[in-house]
Amino acid sequence: MTASTAPTALIADDEPLLRESLQRALATAWPELRVLAQARNGREAVELFEQHEPDIVFLDVHMPGMNGVEAARQIARRAQVVFVTAYEQYAVQAFEQGALDYLVKPVDELRLADTVQRLQERLRARAAGTPQPQLDLQAAIETLARKLMQPEGGAGAAASTTGSAAGHLQWIRASVGSTLKLIPVDQIVFMRSDEKYTLVVWHEGEALIRTPIRELVEQLDPQCFVQVHRSVVVNLHAVSHVTRGPNETADLHLKGRPEVLPVSRSYLHLFRQM
């Protein structure tokens, strides 16, 4: 652990939504943990690790350029490594010996709590000078590296959708670890996506799914949901008011929520009469 200060961590993932989601989840599960930096790929993760020397590194397995496994090789035993992967079969088989820890995307709260507990125990043992089991870290990394070279067949999507008889979605099913969340579509406030994931925000919470927003918008009731930006779909019933911005843009304000959603020029015509 870094001197006598609070434990520190680095998060590396090429998906901004996943980085932000994990950092928020860690803030709840482990308030004392300080996330010193976020990296967008493996090479940046190694650079930031050398700069900040965090106690823990959360590494996405699949990243462009240098992936998480290659980054782990360079970090070696200088930090507690937790791999984050969308493909549980890699994680379970590679880490069942307990040499490393792992999280499956989207990260489940209970699973994260287990990981936090194990990390805390390891950090306390190391700080106290307690001998720790000799774990074959390098063998576990090489096992994962071999599996990454195999085809990804059978890797299931983390989310699916359920349509109504009229053809519009009624529910969105989001798999979060071992928990299946059924999100009523009419309770969704908005959805925001990046290249691989879509953040679904509804009245009772939020979840990440792997269905692209362009596929979702085609299945939603157009009387309720409209796309207002390349990456944003909003429930019109959740909109409080619209403020015009520069260059033919606008901002959407929501009822009882702090988020402000952008409206790009292409979609501004939807709100000219509001």
Side-chain angles (χ1 to χ4, degrees):
M1 195 179 298
T2 306
S4 60
T5 62
T8 55
L10 165 70
I11 296 173
D13 197 306
D14 62 322
E15 296 294 329
L17 287 177
L18 268 293
R19 295 198 305 269
E20 295 169 6
S21 176
L22 180 56
Q23 182 158 351
R24 287 197 300 272
L26 285 168
T28 299
W30 197 353
E32 298 80 13
L33 182 69
R34 291 191 300 131
V35 176
L36 301 178
Q38 295 185 5
R40 297 167 296 182
N41 52 58
R43 190 173 306 282
E44 192 170 275
V46 174
E47 292 173 355
L48 289 171
F49 175 81
E50 300 295 347
Q51 178 180 347
H52 296 286
E53 298 183 344
D55 303 302
I56 304 159
V57 181
F58 294 89
L59 287 172
D60 179 22
V61 172
H62 291 273
M63 289 187 286
M66 181 188 294
N67 63 35
V69 177
E70 293 168 331
R73 282 175 172 148
Q74 298 199 28
I75 292 171
R77 292 182 177 275
R78 292 180 289 166
Q80 303 290 326
V81 174
V82 178
F83 280 118
V84 185
T85 175
Y87 306 108
E88 188 168 15
Q89 74 272 26
Y90 295 150
V92 171
Q93 294 177 31
F95 309 134
E96 60 186 1
Q97 57 194 341
L100 301 169
D101 209 337
Y102 71 93
L103 295 167
V104 176
K105 299 178 184 178
V107 175
D108 175 70
E109 293 178 4
L110 294 178
R111 182 67 180 81
L112 179 61
D114 290 341
T115 296
V116 165
Q117 183 177 358
R118 280 192 290 274
L119 289 168
Q120 290 173 333
E121 290 172 354
R122 292 179 186 177
L123 292 178
R124 281 197 294 268
R126 191 173 69 179
T130 304
Q132 300 184 55
Q134 293 300 310
L135 302 173
D136 195 346
L137 176 66
Q138 194 62 39
I141 289 176
E142 297 308 324
T143 299
L144 180 57
R146 287 195 299 274
K147 291 186 177 299
L148 287 175
M149 296 176 65
Q150 298 173 357
E152 296 180 353
S160 60
T161 54
T162 302
S164 69
H168 298 143
L169 283 181
Q170 296 296 300
W171 303 85
I172 288 180
R173 295 181 294 181
S175 296
V176 182
S178 60
T179 302
L180 177 67
K181 291 182 180 293
L182 292 176
I183 305 171
V185 167
D186 60 359
Q187 293 186 20
I188 292 175
V189 178
F190 69 90
M191 292 180 281
R192 189 175 71 235
S193 70
D194 56 20
E195 292 182 2
K196 294 181 181 177
Y197 290 87
T198 297
L199 175 69
V200 180
V201 178
W202 76 102
H203 293 305
E204 296 180 359
E206 60 184 52
L208 287 168
I209 63 175
R210 292 169 60 190
T211 305
I213 208 165
R214 65 177 181 279
E215 293 183 16
L216 289 168
V217 73
E218 295 174 354
Q219 303 175 67
L220 296 168
D221 183 353
Q223 298 300 313
C224 298
F225 291 90
V226 295
Q227 188 163 9
V228 297
H229 187 275
R230 178 172 55 84
S231 61
V232 178
V233 168
V234 68
N235 185 340
L236 289 173
H237 295 297
V239 175
S240 167
H241 61 281
V242 183
T243 55
R244 298 291 294 269
N247 301 319
E248 292 295 308
T249 62
D251 290 327
L252 277 185
H253 300 261
L254 304 170
K255 297 175 182 175
R257 298 189 65 94
E259 297 94 341
V260 177
L261 306 177
V263 181
S264 62
R265 183 183 303 178
S266 302
Y267 301 98
L268 190 60
H269 66 279
L270 298 171
F271 304 99
R272 290 194 188 285
Q273 295 181 348
M274 292 186 69

